[in-house]
Amino acid sequence: MGMSDRDPLIFAYYVTGHGFGHATRVVEVVRHLIVAGHEVHVVTGAPDFVFTSEIQSPNLHIRKDVLDCGAVQADALTVDRLASLQKYSETAVVRRPYILAAEVQWLHSIKADLVVSDVVPVACRAAADAGIHSVCVTNFSWDFIYAEYVMAAGNHHRSIVWQIAEDYSHCEFLLRLPGYCPMPAFRDVIDVPLVVRRLHKSRSEVRKELGIGEDVKLVIFNFGGQPAGWILKQEWLPVGWLCLVCGASDKQELPSNFIRLPKDAYTPDLMAASDCMLGKIGYGTVSEALAYKLPFVFVRRDYFNEEPFLRNMLEYYQGGVEMIRRDLLTGHWTPYLERALTLSPCYDEAINGGEVVARILQDTAAGKSHASDRLSGARRLRDAIVLGYQLQRAPGRDLSIPDWYTRAENELGLRPASPSAEMNGNDSLSELCVENFEILHGEVHGLSDTVAFLNTLSGLDHGTDSGKSTEKRRERNAASALFNWKEEIYVSRAPGRLDVMGGIADYSGSLVLQMPIREACHVAVQRNHPSKHKLWKHAQARQQAKGEGPLPVLQIVSFGSELSNRAPTFDMDLADLMDGEQPMSYEKAREYFAQDPSQKWAAYVAGTILVLMTELEIHFTDRLDISPRKLALLCQKVENHIVGAPCGVMDQMTSACGEANKLLAMVCQPAEVKELVTIPTHIRFWGLDSGIRHSVGGTDYGSVRIGTFMGRKIIKSEAAALLTRSLPGPNAPQGYMNHDEYEEHGIELVKAEASLDYLCNLSPHRYEAVYAKKIPESILGESFLNKYANHNDTVTVIDPNRKYAVKAPAKHPIYEKFRVEAFKALLTAAATDEQLSALGELMYQCHYSYNDCGLGSDGTDRLVKLVQEMQHCRSSHSDGSSLYGAKITGGGSGGSVCVIGKNCIRSNEEILEIQQRYYAATGHLPFIFEGSSPGAGKFGYLKLRRRQSSDTKLDL
């Protein structure tokens, strides 16, 4: 029985208020439903012509309304995360009771048989309230997109994501389109083909109407109707090319080789008539580019997590070329357009998704069940929905993963084995080898991850493995073009660190205890004369345009870039770091690197060059000899002043100065290494990754730091006032002193507190006795500035309109320093269960103090609770528990927890059990950090020379 054989049904189809892409794919589904004789009511904010140009039928009813807002875009490539959350709250949260009541009444009034949503959350709940089934059709959901925004904008918005996920959970199932993101809120999933609009005219017909010959190269410029303010120049196109511009305003002046398209132009026909497309990635552009085999030159859009999944599919089918945003805006288009013409897009999958979706919707509305046992189950996973991008990309979420979806192992939670696991029982250090390189200086220190990196490096000039993911192939191709294999290459290694105790108290001057971990970052660097640079094509084109001959260029490739949706490559002319004869200011550098969020990561690397020039007046003509401590302080300047992350220095100090199997004990005033504390042999530390991303550049970390410095300013002000009352007035006899005040406080002590440099120098008992009652729980930024002028922190800025917690952030470092000192002293105590219990208790206290500051997270709290349950459950057994404590680490608001326990087999078994329990509860399998390795200072550097092909491999 065909679709048209059914009795007429009534569909209510809700379209999200985000972009045309959703409306255009809805059109194709609705067209098939109406052809089948059904009635469709579309609720949308899109212009009528999007629907009426394709469908002329009395069975199509368009109701103008916007019940969600999607993502608020500052321009075609920039999403405003905070504004998106605020607008969604105004659109769908504040009005929610009214919306639900109105939609239930409306659905009853039209006698809807089925509600379809793409992908408006509240529509699913309204359908449930009206007693009507609902189905979602999409490749992403708003809980997934907004979860990332919540992490950046603050956890006070997380209720928005919870509500969205709850709404989606009311629908019967999800019809999932190719290019899909993880969508754990849905109970059941059915995969369908691409939904794309059909072609009306042939390539030759379109070109004839436009007056463009078949031999003219044509690019369609498609940025979702938002490029109105961009200035386009004639010389940006290769000679003889023409460009069709979508969405240009009537007032925008265009050069003669750019053709303005009408607002209601039918894009699929124009795409099929073009030779390539230049635009941003969205479902509409990607699906139609794939369907009509059109090469797509794309520019990354920041803060929209749908993009990497669509991009991966596009590139898997050989249809995409990435353009750097800087080159888009400055007109360096030619190398990208020419590259696009060499592509052969090869998408041969079905593109009849509109028909397939319409048939399933019709069957569902008529009462047929489409429940999918294969994919049903734990899709409403609260942590997975709420707590960030990486947590949602978890192993086991999908039983069948298409090739285009397969990414770097880390991205799906399938992390590579730890370096120690790379050696099986038959391996030994003597068997580790580096192929094709002669090591002229340094040693690998028996580190198998270093050997693996060197072997990866040596393989870069041997082509790529076709079995690798698209992103990895791109990284390898870009990296292989970097090096001159006849010249020397330098390699260094810096480990990550596990924050055992101290954490955010570092910027308040606390003692901290940090352990360098086994996992590390490797960097390979080569310096070449500009005449010998092997430049990427767009960099070559840029230099040729300047007409000044070879210029010094910095080119960087970042492996694993896809893990955080960032561009894998970065390049710049080194002259861009100069402002006349002097290095540019840090402020200008921060603005320079922030221009393109997908390449902002490069500030961590390129920023080191500027800091070295600025701080040490280095021009890179001589060998650098920098002590590990100085190296760490310089790296902190990069993070603070160029990246814009208001971090302390303990990360850099541990990575640079740490030693394997030792805790770096450092007083952060600003960075004095006290000693390297050997970890007792009966004690062991682990790190467990919650899967929730945290960032020291995030809102919560920064606001807590501001609150801490506010607290210090208030304490200093109170101490100064106390000092004034304790000293003689102008009319007092010489030598006068208020004896009671002196006895209670001590003039010298109060003087020290009035000039307090580091909050951690205030003891807990002085804080409680004198100042605790003076510090407010919170304060509005404007009120603080009016009373105290500033908070004297050079790396954060107070927002006058924001309320900051003060009491908890100020109290934390004062008590944390005491806890860290007690922890350090206990490490040398007798090896007893009491010792371990006391150490664990200090870690628990630290963890809950983080929570009081607002830096906790559901994932880290869950891990700490699992450790506590394991500890207390096993304590009644004869052999007792082997785990004794845990705490959140580093900047908080996600990240990892540190666990302390006995160094024994049973403790490792308990850690593995906690890992599995967390996985069962959240769908994320925590990575376990264990083991240690030397810091960058101990490792030094390797100087390598490429061996000739006739040489044999070097055994180490």
Side-chain angles (χ1 to χ4, degrees), residues 525-592:
V525 181
Q526 187 177 68
R527 184 182 67 182
N528 285 307
H529 189 274
S531 63
K532 295 183 179 180
H533 269 321
K534 297 169 66 177
L535 298 181
W536 297 321
K537 288 184 179 179
H538 64 270
Q540 289 176 350
R542 188 172 66 238
Q543 291 213 350
Q544 290 169 2
K546 291 183 177 180
E548 300 176 4
L551 299 172
V553 172
L554 174 64
Q555 298 182 130
I556 311 170
V557 176
S558 174
F559 275 27
S561 60
E562 196 70 359
L563 303 183
S564 53
N565 189 21
R566 51 190 168 86
T569 62
F570 173 85
D571 69 278
M572 66 180 295
D573 296 335
L574 283 175
D576 290 348
L577 291 176
M578 301 300 293
D579 190 355
E581 297 297 319
Q582 299 297 321
M584 71 194 306
S585 69
Y586 290 157
E587 182 178 0
K588 286 185 177 179
R590 186 163 60 250
E591 294 173 355
Y592 177 91

Side-chain angles (χ1 to χ4, degrees), residues 12-30 40-47 50-51 60-70 91 103 106 115-124 135-138 140 142 168:
Y13 212 132
Y14 290 81
V15 187
T16 186
H18 178 78
F20 275 14
H22 297 267
T24 57
R25 69 188 183 199
V26 167
V27 166
E28 186 64 12
V29 178
V30 170
V40 183
H41 295 255
V42 178
V43 183
T44 181
V50 176
F51 297 90
L60 171 65
H61 309 274
I62 299 176
R63 177 183 140 210
K64 284 302 183 62
D65 204 350
V66 177
L67 302 182
D68 69 354
C69 64
T91 306
E103 294 310 304
W106 179 73
V115 169
V116 190
S117 178
D118 184 354
V119 62
V120 181
V122 73
C124 303
V135 174
C136 284
V137 184
T138 186
F140 77 85
W142 287 113
Y168 286 147

Side-chain angles (χ1 to χ4, degrees), residues 2 59 89 154 160 182 249 329 461 522 537 568 620 643 658 809 870 881 893 937:
N59 286 343
S89 180
I160 289 176
S249 70
L329 299 178
D461 64 338
H522 288 81
K537 288 184 179 179
F620 306 101
V643 176
M870 184 72 69
S881 174
S893 295

Side-chain angles (χ1 to χ4, degrees), residues 726 737-748:
S726 301
M737 180 174 291
N738 184 322
H739 186 72
D740 292 340
E741 294 278 6
Y742 173 76
E743 287 293 332
E744 183 178 352
H745 301 294
I747 294 298
E748 294 304 318

